[in-house]
Amino acid sequence: MEIHARTTKWSKGVKEMDVLSLQEKEIVCNKVAKQLFIICTTISILILIAITFGMLESPELLEYMTHTADSVNRGSRGAHLQSPHAGSGLTGVFSILPLLAVMLIPIIAVFFGIKKPLLRWETKKLLDNASLTDVNDLLTQIIWGFTPNEYNSNEVFTKDIIGYIEDNRESWVPNRIAVKASRLNIVYEAFITGIEQLRSNETVLDMSTLDEECRIDGVFQTDIKAQLMVDNGKYFTNVELLRKIHNQLVFKDLGGNEFLEGLEYVDTDGSTPVYRLMTGS
């Protein structure tokens, strides 16, 4: 099975994998495929060993195996020589069916019985390892341009992100946990005419940047801190975080830097993490 098709098929119904990117899903599926191969091969060997010992202990089993082997050999010779008795090959096939059942049923049962638990386990390991690295960088793999369009739906926002550029199809993981906090602060640079342009959840980091002598072409260049609250009271997912950042910047003048470059961790104010929004042109 082609790797993308296998990844799509295996990850279906495993909701834990919804928070993974396509590349991460492929990594998990490759690991599980290797584990399943080793496990199923081991089971096959153990069954063969059990049959071998059973033949030594049970004359009936030895007689059955000998009769089965003879039937298969006669069928093979008949088919090769195009003998009128080639139909006896069917007898050989039917005689080996119980043996195939003994071999295949346990393997198939184990394969489908442990595949999803293994996928969940490898997903958890991948996410646990990811939480120990690059925790300071967020949304760095997403290509997005901020526009005056406000979004009230995560689903519509996700659809537009995926449709924005082809690369986002593999890198955008909307439901993955971005920050485990009930609130966070983002700091971004904007050009405003005065504090009347600030929203209720925004403050200017340095009020001296709003002194009249700092006004250039009618606007002030300043850093704004905005506090974002999470809907579930526990954590931000990628889609909720980026959607709220996007809505925060609606009608803000970013000085031509309307393209997302990610969030850079700055500090933690009490229990509230602070990130600087990196933008570019």
Side-chain angles (χ1 to χ4, degrees), residues 11-22 24-25 123 127 172-176:
S11 59
K12 187 177 181 179
V14 185
K15 63 180 182 179
E16 290 83 356
M17 297 184 70
D18 292 344
V19 301
L20 302 181
S21 66
L22 178 59
E24 289 172 328
K25 288 180 181 178
T123 297
L127 293 175
W172 178 236
V173 190
N175 296 319
R176 187 164 185 170

Side-chain angles (χ1 to χ4, degrees), residues 6-21 24-25 28-29 32 36 111-124 127 173 175:
R6 183 186 67 189
T7 299
T8 301
K9 184 176 180 180
W10 283 17
S11 59
K12 187 177 181 179
V14 185
K15 63 180 182 179
E16 290 83 356
M17 297 184 70
D18 292 344
V19 301
L20 302 181
S21 66
E24 289 172 328
K25 288 180 181 178
V28 168
C29 288
V32 171
L36 288 172
F111 180 91
F112 287 103
I114 68 173
K115 184 177 70 172
K116 285 189 177 181
L118 286 176
L119 289 170
R120 295 187 182 99
W121 174 250
E122 288 298 330
T123 297
K124 182 179 183 300
L127 293 175
V173 190
N175 296 319

Side-chain angles (χ1 to χ4, degrees), residues 47-68:
I47 292 174
L48 289 173
I49 293 173
I51 291 174
T52 302
F53 276 102
M55 291 168 58
L56 297 176
E57 296 293 330
S58 172
E60 292 82 3
L61 180 58
L62 177 59
E63 182 181 355
Y64 165 76
M65 294 297 292
T66 303
H67 174 73
T68 300

